[in-house]
Amino acid sequence: MITAELNKKLWSAQGGMELALRFDLGTGESLTLYGDSGAGKTSTLRMLAGLLPPDSGRIVVGGETWYDADKNIDLPPQQRDIGFVFQDYALFPNLTARQNLLYGLRKGEEDFLEELIAISGLGELQHKKPGQLSGGQQQRVALARALVRKPKLLLLDEPMSALDHQMRNQLQDFLINAQQSYGLTIILVSHDLGEVIKLSDRVAVLESGSICKVGSPAEVFMQHKISGKFQFSGRVLHIQQEEVVWIITLLIATNVVKVVVSEKESRELQVGDQVVVASKAFNPILNKV
Amino acid sequence: MNKVKGVISGIEVSGSLSLVSVHCGNRVLKSIIIDTPDTLGYLVQGADVELLFKETEVVIAKPGPLDISLQNRIPATVFSISKGELLSSLILNSELGKLESIISTAAVTQLKLEPGKVVQAMVKLNEMMLSPC
């Protein structure tokens, strides 16, 4: 169980901002922090990790107090049982991928190291140094390194942004398995709606330093709770007018589909927007292939 | 998407299907959904809901009795028509507010539709989605 209460004055491009958050998270649960750039997501992760001191508040993880402003408790990062992947990977440049993982490995867990290397697809790359690896490959090393200690709390800041779809899927499945096997509690920052829906039990939407909405991914993203059973989330790729209707081309996972909407609806859409596509279960036809 | 506000006035359940009656003004519109009061929290008598249906699913007929299976029938007046070569958009004034229907331009010609004409807008019950409001 994690209880966090964090208050911090932050400075962003838009000026000063008061971050004030409170949330509880059960052991083995995963929470996604979702919101615009500068809303305070990364700062929250850094405060949980002990890399950024809050102005006031409290962090208690599994009954252990990591931070308490009133009691003057502030455990350094190395004493907090966490794994993290930040956007800049922060790998040791002079160590190979394998050595980067070994650095954090507990004694007697060598089998787990091999499993991690295999699942992250690092078999061929394990003896290369970060400088010889691509962004996506470095991200995989960083993710494997974060998991190597089976931490109580895993903090992930856009952990798969540099990966292609297939590798992303593979590592998401791996994360879900690892979470179930080791009871990992995960706090994730992600803008990828598919990833958020797949990986998180709960989503907290951050706006200017505070949580404006919290709930399951379905509650948060399918706000209208439309009864239609044929629902997907997708991204707008293209908007095109044809006579009195507008044809919206959408990317849903790896599929490109088209949906016809009215002029009024088209005016509310822009290329890049995330949308929920809903239809009644009565409409689609199925063709066995 | 057309949106019509109403109040749930009846729910008939059979297995995992529900036929939901929604009172909208003086009219009852019906929607069939794959949900029951056990699976959908707002599916209760008296709940405020919106009925959602696509413009392309709104059928237009001349007024008067019709031997036709469509039971969701809304009397309306044509407010405006935007004609394309193949498709036309009709904006309708009805007791439930403004509605849009997209039908073929050929049908607009055949039915001699023009602003001011009285029509019936009809929607199949399996095309009606529900949303809480």
Side-chain angles (χ1 to χ4, degrees):
Chain A
M1 174 82 173
I2 296 170
T3 304
E5 202 183 316
L6 302 167
N7 302 297
K8 173 86 179 168
K9 177 95 178 162
L10 293 174
W11 296 97
S12 68
Q14 291 81 39
M17 176 180 81
E18 207 66 56
L19 183 129
L21 298 181
R22 217 209 104 85
F23 60 84
D24 298 311
L25 193 59
T27 304
E29 261 198 301
S30 53
L31 171 77
T32 293
L33 303 177
Y34 188 86
D36 293 338
S37 302
K41 307 181 298 290
T42 298
S43 299
T44 303
L45 292 192
R46 291 174 59 84
M47 282 189 269
L48 290 166
L51 297 169
L52 178 72
D55 295 338
S56 65
R58 224 159 56 91
I59 302 169
V60 181
V61 178
E64 187 184 23
T65 304
W66 287 4
Y67 175 81
D68 191 326
D70 297 338
K71 294 182 187 153
N72 251 334
I73 300 171
D74 187 8
L75 295 189
Q78 60 274 21
Q79 285 179 29
R80 302 184 183 199
D81 192 0
I82 48 170
F84 52 82
V85 180
F86 286 147
Q87 283 158 318
D88 58 1
Y89 321 133
L91 298 171
F92 296 116
N94 53 332
L95 300 182
T96 64
R98 187 183 179 85
Q99 287 165 338
N100 261 284
L101 300 190
L102 268 171
Y103 188 81
L105 191 72
R106 291 195 168 103
K107 284 209 176 85
E109 296 262 350
E110 287 73 16
D111 289 351
F112 182 56
L113 177 73
E114 300 308 328
E115 185 188 330
L116 266 180
I117 287 176
I119 287 218
S120 330
L122 295 172
E124 304 282 309
L125 306 168
Q126 57 179 306
H127 301 300
K128 291 201 155 60
K129 290 184 178 169
Q132 300 167 284
L133 300 175
S134 72
Q137 291 164 342
Q138 290 185 47
Q139 213 163 30
R140 274 145 58 192
V141 177
L143 191 59
R145 190 183 60 177
L147 285 167
V148 85
R149 294 182 71 86
K150 297 179 188 166
K152 265 190 200 152
L153 180 59
L154 187 60
L155 304 172
L156 304 172
D157 194 352
E158 300 276 5
M160 301 180 203
S161 55
L163 303 181
D164 64 29
H165 188 76
Q166 194 190 351
M167 185 48 72
R168 197 179 263 240
N169 245 329
Q170 191 180 330
L171 283 192
Q172 285 165 354
D173 291 340
F174 172 61
L175 258 185
I176 292 170
N177 283 335
Q179 188 190 13
Q180 285 161 357
S181 307
Y182 312 118
L184 288 177
T185 307
I186 301 176
I187 301 183
L188 170 77
V189 168
S190 176
H191 286 101
D192 179 337
L193 212 52
E195 183 167 288
V196 175
I197 290 168
K198 187 167 174 184
L199 290 182
S200 40
D201 300 309
R202 276 199 294 156
V203 180
V205 181
L206 259 67
E207 216 178 87
S208 313
S210 53
I211 295 174
C212 64
K213 201 186 290 176
V214 69
S216 70
E219 286 165 351
V220 169
F221 295 114
M222 298 183 185
Q223 306 162 1
H224 300 300
K225 297 179 189 141
I226 297 172
S227 66
K229 290 292 174 215
F230 195 75
Q231 291 201 11
F232 304 94
S233 67
R235 190 157 51 87
V236 177
L237 294 181
H238 188 62
I239 300 174
Q240 182 190 352
Q241 183 183 358
E242 291 294 350
E243 302 196 345
V244 295
V245 296
W246 272 251
I247 297 173
I248 312 294
T249 306
L250 301 170
L251 180 68
I252 300 177
T254 54
N255 300 307
V256 174
V257 302
K258 291 179 194 279
V259 174
V260 169
V261 302
S262 69
E263 179 186 4
K264 195 170 143 217
E265 284 160 307
S266 74
R267 274 192 254 122
E268 291 165 9
L269 293 173
Q270 282 182 331
V271 170
D273 280 355
Q274 291 280 354
V275 292
V276 170
V277 185
S279 178
K280 302 236 0 173
F282 295 87
N283 302 33
I285 55 163
L286 296 182
N287 252 335
K288 196 168 167 177
V289 287
Chain B
M1 185 167 45
N2 289 298
K3 295 182 184 183
V4 172
K5 282 196 163 67
V7 177
I8 294 179
S9 60
I11 304 164
E12 288 171 61
V13 179
S14 170
S16 56
L17 293 177
S18 295
L19 180 60
V20 186
S21 299
V22 179
H23 235 95
C24 310
N26 294 321
R27 198 152 294 277
V28 175
L29 298 178
K30 291 186 178 179
S31 167
I32 185 107
I33 61 174
I34 305 182
D35 260 311
T36 66
D38 292 334
T39 60
L40 193 62
Y42 62 85
L43 202 54
V44 285
Q45 291 265 1
D48 289 321
V49 290
E50 263 184 334
L51 285 165
L52 313 176
F53 50 99
K54 294 258 324 176
E55 299 78 4
T56 41
E57 304 298 346
V58 179
V59 175
I60 299 294
K62 288 282 186 76
L66 288 168
D67 278 339
I68 191 167
S69 67
L70 290 153
Q71 290 188 315
N72 288 322
R73 301 176 184 195
I74 308 164
T77 311
V78 177
F79 176 73
S80 63
I81 302 178
S82 312
K83 276 192 194 171
E85 200 178 318
L86 304 178
L87 290 175
S88 291
S89 156
L90 273 59
I91 304 295
L92 310 171
N93 276 331
S94 80
E95 60 187 62
L96 307 179
K98 277 218 160 44
L99 300 175
E100 184 178 352
S101 167
I102 292 174
I103 57 175
S104 70
T105 299
V108 172
T109 310
Q110 190 205 331
L111 293 173
K112 299 189 179 75
L113 295 176
E114 51 190 55
K117 282 272 168 111
V118 175
V119 293
Q120 296 186 73
M122 299 188 289
V123 187
K124 286 184 74 174
L125 51 85
N126 64 290
E127 299 295 351
M128 291 271 192
M129 280 195 270
L130 282 179
S131 162
C133 49

